[in-house]
Amino acid sequence: MWKERIKSALDQQCIDNRYRQRVICHAAGSSINIEVDGEQYLNFSSNDYLGLAHHPRLQVAAARGAEDYGVGSGGSPHVTGYSRPLAQLETRLAHWLGYDRAILYPSGFTANQAVIKVLIEKGDLIIADRLSHASLMEAAILSPGRLHRFKHNDLASLESYLKRYHQSPIDSTSPHPLQLVVTEGLFSMDGDGAPLEEIAEITQRYGAILMVDDAHGVGIVGDGGRGSCNKAGIKPEILIVTFGKAFGMSGAAVLLSEELAEYFVQFSRPLIYSTAIPPMQAVILDETISLLESDEGEARRQKLATNIAYFRQEMEKMFTHLRAALSVELNAELSDGSIFPYLIPSESAIQPLVIGEEKMALALSAALKAEGIWISAIRPPTVPPKSARLRITITADHQEMMIDHLIAKLMQSIKLLLREEQESRREDNRAGANNA
Ligand SMILES: *Cc1c(COP(=O)(O)O)cnc(C)c1O
């Protein structure tokens, strides 16, 4: 019975500590102060890195956009949904990022899937960084091409797949096979950047196409917030920028050459069969680019960078104190099996605190919630097994005092949890000894 299948899948999620739940989250005035179930929280899980989601200038643009153009586009871009604000935004994005063309999609998820769907045919090869976003991986798995995942940020691993392919192509009957290399500017769960210059060089050497998803880099790094590729001085054939993170809104664009853009316009089904984004959204995004390029944009990026540096520095001190406060014995015990929490080296707004076991990560997230701090636990399969973590995000809206508060509560909660775990392990050992 099909109902059995649904039920057992749900039960298994519970057993695995992977059950996901949405909460009704109310952000009033800013993304960092949220209300959930009548309680106030300090939010350290927001992707609104520059604090633009509530910016008054963008709210004014939204009202103006709605007044001038209505709230909906009224159709797909191929019928009557392609309006002046959309065309202007595409032109501006292309110019801003140094491409012939930009094509708008309703989301980054859709854009990534659209690129892979329109480009990949039988006999083609996709080589993607193992930590690439779910939207890329899913499309790649479902595509008629072959997918290889190269080791995260590992150039030798990437090159070995390209080399192997050149020695023996997948399907020799394909007249014009294509190889697509996929990576991200900044990785969404680890917060580290890719060695873009080197990846671009290798990709070019093998005549492959490079696609970079810069969801977390655009708006933040590079000249005027032009993103990771601008910072690295490269221009991949396909660049994806999304507007749900630093832009504080939603939507995405694919940046490409004139010829590829025309190919997309002919053959990209999510473009042909899906409603175009509302013109008011394009009006807001246009205003956002102006903001990002302004002194205020620069000041917000500066503030974010200062906050990130402060957080990392204070976390280092916290770990030193924590190790001293916990017994050597505990440290030794930790080395067998479970891990001592650690921060993944990252200079970005994404600061992952790896906890290891799903249960521990959930317990820590819950302990922080009880203290009025909101940080979601990220669990497998979103991240590799045994690397459940708190994905802490720092934004330009945070103040030093808030970061201090977070770290004090982190230290307190981690200490408590590790002691509890130690205690329960001792009891298990005792019980084991008594049974023997
Ligand atoms: C968030 C994200 C996406 C999806 O973008 P949406 O606009 O939220 O659909 C794609 N790629 C990466 C790396 C992301 O972090």
Side-chain angles (χ1 to χ4, degrees):
M1 266 238 310
W2 68 268
K3 283 187 180 165
E4 243 350 273
R5 185 169 93 197
I6 306 294
K7 187 176 178 310
S8 76
L10 289 176
D11 291 345
Q12 195 58 45
Q13 286 288 95
C14 279
I15 294 165
D16 295 343
N17 285 311
R18 288 186 185 182
Y19 205 82
R20 298 166 189 264
Q21 267 169 313
R22 301 179 304 170
V23 294
I24 297 175
C25 177
H26 175 61
S30 87
S31 298
I32 60 163
N33 294 304
I34 57 170
E35 190 191 306
V36 180
D37 281 339
E39 301 283 341
Q40 302 291 327
Y41 297 92
L42 188 52
N43 188 3
F44 279 98
S45 277
S46 170
N47 287 336
D48 181 18
Y49 303 130
L50 296 177
L52 299 184
H54 296 260
H55 198 290
R57 204 169 133 186
L58 302 180
Q59 287 173 319
V60 169
R64 177 165 45 86
E67 201 167 305
D68 291 351
Y69 301 99
V71 295
S73 67
S76 106
H78 286 59
V79 186
T80 57
Y82 191 60
S83 53
R84 205 179 314 131
L86 268 67
Q88 280 170 357
L89 178 61
E90 286 186 346
T91 305
R92 184 165 186 194
L93 281 166
H95 188 250
W96 191 52
L97 297 167
Y99 281 79
D100 295 341
R101 297 274 295 272
I103 296 181
L104 293 166
Y105 284 91
S107 76
F109 199 100
T110 313
N112 280 339
Q113 302 230 317
V115 170
I116 288 174
K117 270 205 271 203
V118 83
L119 283 181
I120 301 299
E121 296 175 9
K122 189 163 175 285
D124 292 347
L125 176 68
I126 306 169
I127 313 174
D129 188 291
R130 191 167 285 172
L131 296 189
S132 296
H133 192 260
S135 52
L136 292 161
M137 282 310 184
E138 190 185 81
I141 289 165
L142 296 175
S143 84
R146 181 181 294 173
L147 167 67
H148 289 295
R149 304 155 198 247
F150 67 95
K151 281 190 210 143
H152 179 51
N153 282 346
D154 187 322
L155 301 170
S157 172
L158 164 64
E159 188 165 1
S160 74
Y161 287 117
L162 283 164
K163 199 177 274 173
R164 202 191 303 166
Y165 178 86
H166 270 255
Q167 283 157 0
S168 54
I170 304 164
D171 172 9
S172 49
T173 61
S174 174
H176 305 291
L178 164 166
Q179 301 94 56
L180 181 70
V181 171
V182 179
T183 190
E184 297 183 7
L186 282 171
F187 285 85
S188 53
M189 292 302 145
D190 282 30
D192 57 342
L196 290 174
E197 236 185 295
E198 291 84 350
I199 289 176
E201 188 277 317
I202 293 170
T203 306
Q204 197 171 25
R205 188 143 43 81
Y206 285 88
I209 296 182
L210 178 59
M211 169 182 188
V212 176
D213 174 353
D214 202 24
H216 297 276
V218 73
I220 306 284
V221 298
D223 179 27
R226 286 176 175 78
S228 310
C229 293
N230 171 278
K231 189 181 168 199
I234 65 152
K235 188 179 159 188
E237 280 81 5
I238 309 252
L239 169 65
I240 309 289
V241 294
T242 76
F243 309 127
K245 276 78 189 221
F247 276 63
M249 214 216 166
S250 76
V254 181
L255 283 296
L256 25 54
S257 67
E258 182 64 33
E259 202 171 24
L260 273 176
E262 282 308 303
Y263 189 79
F264 273 56
V265 170
Q266 309 313 311
F267 303 116
S268 176
R269 297 170 70 85
L271 201 61
I272 302 168
Y273 296 106
S274 188
T275 301
I277 63 165
M280 62 180 274
Q281 184 175 345
V283 171
I284 299 166
L285 292 170
D286 189 74
E287 188 72 10
T288 311
I289 300 175
S290 301
L291 227 164
L292 288 170
E293 284 187 312
S294 71
D295 289 348
E296 183 187 339
E298 198 52 50
R300 283 179 183 260
R301 281 190 289 275
Q302 260 316 317
K303 181 72 185 353
L304 176 61
T306 307
N307 280 348
I308 294 166
Y310 182 73
F311 171 79
R312 291 198 64 84
Q313 168 203 312
E314 295 302 305
M315 280 296 277
E316 206 162 298
K317 286 187 202 160
M318 187 278 273
F319 279 126
T320 308
H321 290 154
L322 191 60
R323 285 187 179 278
L326 296 167
S327 62
V328 178
E329 184 194 356
L330 175 58
N331 280 325
E333 255 181 71
L334 274 172
S335 67
D336 70 80
S338 67
I339 60 161
F340 196 86
Y342 67 94
L343 212 51
I344 294 181
S346 150
E347 287 166 22
S348 73
I350 302 160
Q351 295 289 328
L353 178 62
V354 178
I355 307 297
E357 295 298 333
E358 271 122 307
K359 221 170 116 193
M360 269 289 270
L362 286 174
L364 184 56
S365 171
L368 290 169
K369 260 164 215 168
E371 299 284 352
I373 294 169
W374 194 275
I375 306 177
S376 305
I378 309 278
R379 293 163 279 167
T382 307
V383 291
K386 307 240 178 253
S387 77
R389 64 196 64 181
L390 297 193
R391 180 179 177 273
I392 302 170
T393 54
I394 306 295
T395 78
D397 277 349
H398 287 124
Q399 293 160 14
E400 246 175 44
M401 204 180 68
M402 299 171 176
I403 295 172
D404 289 339
H405 180 66
L406 163 68
I407 293 176
K409 294 301 171 191
L410 264 177
M411 167 140 173
Q412 180 189 316
S413 307
I414 293 174
K415 207 189 314 181
L416 218 76
L417 280 171
L418 288 180
R419 286 224 168 104
E420 271 170 23
E421 204 189 50
Q422 180 190 32
E423 205 43 53
S424 81
R425 203 168 316 155
R426 280 214 189 107
E427 260 161 43
D428 286 353
N429 286 347
R430 243 176 265 138
N434 288 343
N435 288 341

